[in-house]
Amino acid sequence: MSQEGAEVSRRKLFGWAGAGVALAGAGAAAGVGVDRLGTASASTSTVDFHGEHQAGIVTPAQANLHFAALDVTTSDVGELRQLLREWTDAARRMTAGQQVTADGAVGGAAEAPPTDTGEALDLPASQLTITVGFGPSLFDERFGLAAKRPPQLVDLPVFPKDKLDPARSGGDLCIQACADDPQVAVHAVRNLVRIGFGVTQVRWSQLGFGRSSSTSRAQQTPRNLFGFKDGTNNVKAEDTDVLRDQVWAQAGDGQPWMAGGTYLVARRIRMHIETWDRESLAGQEQIIGRSKGSGAPLGQTGEFDPVDLDVAGAGGVPVIAEDAHVRLASSQTRGGVRILRRGYNFVDGSDGVGHLEAGLFFLAFNRDTRTQYIPMQRALSSKDAMMEYVQHTGSAHFAIPPGVTPGTSWGDGLFA
Amino acid sequence: MSQEGAEVSRRKLFGWAGAGVALAGAGAAAGVGVDRLGTASASTSTVDFHGEHQAGIVTPAQANLHFAALDVTTSDVGELRQLLREWTDAARRMTAGQQVTADGAVGGAAEAPPTDTGEALDLPASQLTITVGFGPSLFDERFGLAAKRPPQLVDLPVFPKDKLDPARSGGDLCIQACADDPQVAVHAVRNLVRIGFGVTQVRWSQLGFGRSSSTSRAQQTPRNLFGFKDGTNNVKAEDTDVLRDQVWAQAGDGQPWMAGGTYLVARRIRMHIETWDRESLAGQEQIIGRSKGSGAPLGQTGEFDPVDLDVAGAGGVPVIAEDAHVRLASSQTRGGVRILRRGYNFVDGSDGVGHLEAGLFFLAFNRDTRTQYIPMQRALSSKDAMMEYVQHTGSAHFAIPPGVTPGTSWGDGLFA
């Protein structure tokens, strides 16, 4: 049997059941070490790179993130297409716990630069996932891709109170690497950046930790830097109907090549934690709309109790305030709209005036950013009581193409 | 028996054997999860906070670092002394896996700000250590401490090729928090910073991962972002004679209150990884003086084989080059001088011109920086072939006072 034949057989074996495939592998892995939110001892596991969808979306969120946005510096579309082939091959190997190439960091010729940078040599796969996307700016006149631009991939508007830094926003391409070991995630981004030398360059990059949303019911809900559980009502890997309706692009959505893909909104949200820490416990809970300890919606007792926006307290005033975050972001308020969040906490040194430069690197996947993220963020940025304590300092939007098979590349649909 | 009595008994039980105490606890913990360099599944363990020396020095290096340098903003020496008492109490609790106070994030009055910020509520101790130090600038006229300044705590010179950023250098105080979970380390620093509100403010802070030196023979040697094993010949927790001679300050060293303490040099070293990655394998190995795969010194076969600087290759040229890092930094070249390194890798976003802002946050402990770190760094910065690929962008020096007992504070010796 030829190698291609073997790949086809393997593909049939797994049935390309999309979320099912990713979930089976990753869910099992997450079960290994649930003592530390499912992340501590699961590090030797691999997450299947192939599938209907890219890994790193419904994969139970790993402990660490390295995200990079890149600009394409070549005007040769053939170089861009070739880069996407090379990235796919390298990611296929690295997510399997292998080096970038068979020669790797130490197996090549002594006179040549090593083809792997080596800092992950002794480390296991650590559930590494690598997810790649295309920014709106990629679909300009440079590469003749304007006709392939998905209508969902709009330029994000500037929302009220945004204070965006151009050096932390935008990008022609993105790489999201998640792993249970930060060195493995850093190694993955670094080596893809290196492969792209002369074709792309890093526009900005962001490290994150403490994943600020769980994406599977097998995971405990983590806490953000406000000290609150975050992502209780997130779309989870197990919610296959919601994923189909609200996360995965469908064939009739406008650009058939995006079917099985999704749209990623990345927002760097600075959190003024010093100011937050001076707010009373009751004040914090009113702003969020949940209990800080249990995570239960105000008026309820358990974290996963349904949010009831109508519970009235003293004098008929709603227990969950009109400007509470959970009210404004809830699918009830938003006409049933949901998004899949997959953010990470960050601390990027200090801000030069005595405070930590800390916050949430918000990552969310949705099927149509125009009707999901944008209206939600419009409401939040103008009404949310939490806006007093946060500031959006970076913003980007990417089309995440569908998953690949053993013989295909991330760029195949784009260049078909 | 009074609480104090119980503490005394406990102290006697453990015998305050200094490095021995720290080693027994931490060494055992590191043995739990050696699959991932001893860090993965050891996260529920605690490291004893009390002892002759502070924890976080010979403690087997945890996976993650949050380091902060602070300036004192009060001129009231009583406030400073009180802060050090409060920091000690809070650190005693947090390193035991407890919240900052008994009330904590959710147990206090609803009308008051919580006394713990809450983001570590569901997380185990994760081998958290908190280590505190005093910078040279603390010993100025503000607090009447000039006569207490240790002669070893010099202002570090500017070394050749330094490109120091004042915003990443210096500081009156430092906090080093190490843990196997970055959120636990971040929580520790944030809460100490918060306790210091009105007395101190953050001057700079640095996150790190992938600990770039092992500090115990129970740990595998990790790799730095040049892809090389780093710290093979580091002073280890087991080297009690070397620790006494070269790391721990002794009673006769000048300031008796520093006995059992040590001196910490912190250097933020930007690594030009993109340039390094274009160097050949042979070139990289010549610069380091070791094999990239095994870590063996050039001319030897095993990582832990003694470095032999005299092995000659073709034409009598030394196999380990005259400007190789391992030669210049070796204790043989340095007249027997050694230091205890405890650095971490970092990636702080990108540099704005297309590269990752990556490097090594170098932390080293020595008994006398004047005769140990400074001469070594003078030699390296002027001769080391590696200097072509690195740049020191931050620099700080701190006196690390000795450890505390259950009834004492980090400031007791300073203010005695």
Side-chain angles (χ1 to χ4, degrees):
Chain A
M1 191 185 274
S2 72
Q3 199 192 333
E4 194 178 315
E7 284 165 350
V8 170
S9 299
R10 185 160 170 274
R11 206 183 318 174
K12 279 185 181 154
L13 181 69
F14 285 109
W16 274 184
V21 170
L23 187 57
V32 175
V34 287
D35 57 313
R36 191 268 174 262
L37 302 183
T39 63
S41 51
S43 60
T44 53
S45 308
T46 56
V47 176
D48 198 347
F49 180 66
H50 298 118
E52 183 183 355
H53 315 293
Q54 289 194 58
I57 302 168
V58 297
T59 307
Q62 302 94 323
N64 301 279
L65 167 80
H66 189 191
F67 191 98
L70 301 98
D71 287 331
V72 180
T73 53
T74 183
S75 56
D76 181 339
V77 68
E79 288 184 351
L80 173 60
R81 187 170 187 178
Q82 176 60 21
L83 174 65
L84 290 168
R85 284 195 200 100
E86 293 177 20
W87 274 8
T88 311
D89 290 341
R92 188 179 280 123
R93 290 186 57 91
M94 289 193 284
T95 56
Q98 300 169 331
Q99 296 186 67
V100 170
T101 63
D103 281 347
V106 298
E111 318 75 62
T115 46
D116 182 290
T117 58
E119 70 270 27
L121 263 181
D122 313 316
L123 306 177
S126 307
Q127 297 206 75
L128 173 68
T129 57
I130 301 173
T131 314
V132 157
F134 310 134
S137 53
L138 194 70
F139 297 87
D140 62 12
E141 66 289 345
R142 286 174 295 168
F143 309 109
L145 292 171
K148 300 300 276 293
R149 180 170 175 171
Q152 294 81 5
L153 189 66
V154 293
D155 295 313
L156 288 179
V158 176
F159 297 97
K161 300 182 188 163
D162 273 4
K163 193 175 179 181
L164 303 181
D165 178 355
R168 296 187 190 274
S169 300
D172 291 333
L173 299 168
C174 78
I175 304 167
Q176 172 197 281
C178 299
D180 284 338
D181 186 322
Q183 186 132 331
V184 170
V186 163
H187 171 265
V189 167
R190 174 197 187 168
N191 279 271
L192 296 184
V193 166
R194 183 178 185 225
I195 290 170
F197 182 74
V199 181
T200 57
Q201 64 178 23
V202 176
R203 182 176 174 89
W204 52 271
S205 97
Q206 180 73 53
L207 255 65
F209 62 85
R211 61 196 168 66
S212 185
S213 290
S214 54
T215 55
S216 161
R217 300 199 196 287
Q219 300 185 298
Q220 286 180 50
T221 309
R223 291 181 186 270
N224 61 30
L225 293 181
F226 285 156
F228 276 74
K229 293 190 181 186
D230 201 339
T232 297
N233 272 346
N234 199 20
V235 177
K236 302 284 179 17
E238 294 84 355
D239 305 328
T240 46
D241 288 355
V242 181
L243 290 169
R244 186 190 57 236
D245 291 346
Q246 307 227 19
V247 176
W248 304 127
Q250 304 295 321
D253 280 0
Q255 287 286 1
W257 68 271
M258 275 294 293
T262 181
Y263 298 89
L264 168 62
V265 174
R267 305 277 291 182
R268 185 177 183 278
I269 306 177
R270 168 85 191 274
M271 290 160 75
H272 296 292
I273 57 175
E274 296 81 3
T275 316
W276 178 258
D277 289 345
R278 290 195 283 274
E279 182 62 71
S280 71
L281 177 59
Q284 292 182 1
E285 292 183 334
Q286 191 154 13
I287 290 164
I288 303 292
R290 289 185 179 273
S291 157
K292 191 164 190 173
S294 66
L298 295 185
Q300 313 295 329
T301 54
E303 180 193 346
F304 293 100
D305 289 350
V307 177
D308 183 345
L309 299 173
D310 301 324
V311 176
V317 176
V319 168
I320 297 178
E322 294 298 339
D323 59 358
H325 184 76
V326 73
R327 176 185 293 275
L328 294 166
S330 93
S331 61
Q332 299 161 60
T333 306
R334 311 242 43 80
V337 165
R338 301 176 67 185
I339 57 176
L340 188 155
R341 285 183 294 129
R342 207 175 197 286
Y344 285 83
N345 302 327
F346 69 81
V347 176
D348 292 344
S350 60
D351 67 0
V353 292
H355 307 125
L356 295 175
E357 174 78 32
L360 173 69
F361 186 65
F362 173 97
L363 295 170
F365 298 90
N366 59 193
R367 180 176 168 188
D368 191 339
T369 304
R370 297 170 300 179
T371 57
Q372 294 175 269
Y373 176 77
I374 291 175
M376 187 198 76
Q377 184 53 29
R378 277 226 172 85
L380 290 174
S381 60
S382 59
K383 297 178 193 161
D384 189 354
M386 195 196 284
M387 288 304 295
E388 189 179 336
Y389 303 90
V390 303
Q391 196 155 45
H392 289 234
T393 58
S395 178
H397 191 196
F398 301 97
I400 306 296
V404 296
T405 63
T408 66
S409 146
W410 278 315
D412 286 357
L414 184 64
F415 292 109
Chain B
M1 188 184 276
S2 72
Q3 199 193 334
E4 195 178 314
E7 284 164 350
V8 171
S9 300
R10 185 160 171 273
R11 206 184 318 174
K12 278 185 181 154
L13 181 68
F14 285 110
W16 273 183
V21 170
L23 186 57
V32 175
V34 286
D35 56 314
R36 190 269 174 262
L37 302 182
T39 63
S41 51
S43 59
T44 54
S45 309
T46 56
V47 177
D48 199 346
F49 181 65
H50 298 117
E52 183 183 355
H53 314 294
Q54 289 194 58
I57 302 168
V58 296
T59 308
Q62 301 94 323
N64 301 279
L65 167 80
H66 190 191
F67 191 98
L70 301 98
D71 287 331
V72 180
T73 53
T74 183
S75 56
D76 180 338
V77 68
E79 287 184 351
L80 173 61
R81 186 170 187 177
Q82 177 60 22
L83 173 66
L84 291 169
R85 285 196 201 98
E86 293 176 21
W87 274 7
T88 311
D89 290 339
R92 189 178 279 122
R93 291 185 56 90
M94 288 193 283
T95 55
Q98 301 169 331
Q99 297 186 67
V100 170
T101 64
D103 281 347
V106 299
E111 320 73 64
T115 47
D116 182 291
T117 58
E119 70 270 27
L121 264 180
D122 313 315
L123 306 177
S126 309
Q127 297 205 72
L128 174 67
T129 57
I130 301 174
T131 314
V132 157
F134 310 134
S137 54
L138 193 71
F139 298 87
D140 61 12
E141 65 289 346
R142 285 174 296 169
F143 309 109
L145 293 170
K148 299 301 272 294
R149 180 171 175 169
Q152 294 81 3
L153 189 65
V154 293
D155 294 313
L156 288 181
V158 176
F159 297 97
K161 299 182 189 163
D162 273 4
K163 194 176 179 180
L164 303 180
D165 178 355
R168 296 188 191 274
S169 300
D172 291 333
L173 301 168
C174 77
I175 305 166
Q176 173 197 281
C178 299
D180 285 337
D181 186 321
Q183 186 133 331
V184 170
V186 163
H187 171 265
V189 168
R190 175 196 186 169
N191 280 271
L192 296 185
V193 167
R194 183 178 185 225
I195 290 169
F197 182 75
V199 181
T200 57
Q201 64 178 24
V202 177
R203 183 177 173 87
W204 52 271
S205 97
Q206 179 72 53
L207 256 63
F209 62 85
R211 61 194 168 65
S212 186
S213 289
S214 53
T215 54
S216 162
R217 299 200 196 287
Q219 299 186 299
Q220 286 180 49
T221 310
R223 291 180 185 271
N224 60 29
L225 293 182
F226 284 157
F228 277 74
K229 292 190 181 187
D230 201 338
T232 298
N233 273 346
N234 199 20
V235 177
K236 302 283 180 16
E238 294 84 353
D239 305 330
T240 46
D241 288 355
V242 182
L243 290 170
R244 187 190 57 235
D245 291 346
Q246 308 227 18
V247 176
W248 304 127
Q250 305 296 322
D253 281 359
Q255 287 286 0
W257 68 272
M258 274 295 293
T262 182
Y263 299 89
L264 168 61
V265 175
R267 305 278 290 182
R268 185 178 184 277
I269 306 177
R270 168 86 191 273
M271 291 160 76
H272 296 292
I273 56 175
E274 296 82 2
T275 317
W276 177 260
D277 289 345
R278 290 195 284 273
E279 182 62 71
S280 71
L281 176 60
Q284 292 182 0
E285 291 182 334
Q286 190 154 14
I287 290 164
I288 304 291
R290 289 185 179 272
S291 156
K292 191 165 192 174
S294 66
L298 295 185
Q300 313 296 329
T301 52
E303 180 193 347
F304 293 99
D305 289 350
V307 177
D308 183 345
L309 299 173
D310 301 322
V311 176
V317 177
V319 168
I320 297 177
E322 294 298 338
D323 59 358
H325 183 76
V326 74
R327 176 184 293 274
L328 294 166
S330 94
S331 62
Q332 300 161 58
T333 306
R334 310 244 42 82
V337 165
R338 301 175 68 183
I339 57 176
L340 187 156
R341 284 183 295 128
R342 207 174 197 285
Y344 285 84
N345 302 326
F346 70 80
V347 176
D348 291 344
S350 60
D351 68 358
V353 292
H355 306 125
L356 295 175
E357 174 78 32
L360 173 69
F361 187 64
F362 173 97
L363 295 170
F365 297 91
N366 59 194
R367 180 176 168 188
D368 191 339
T369 304
R370 297 170 300 180
T371 57
Q372 293 176 269
Y373 176 77
I374 290 175
M376 189 198 75
Q377 184 54 28
R378 277 229 171 83
L380 290 174
S381 61
S382 59
K383 297 179 194 161
D384 189 354
M386 195 196 283
M387 288 303 295
E388 189 178 337
Y389 303 90
V390 302
Q391 197 155 46
H392 290 234
T393 58
S395 178
H397 191 196
F398 301 97
I400 307 295
V404 295
T405 63
T408 65
S409 146
W410 278 314
D412 286 358
L414 183 64
F415 292 109

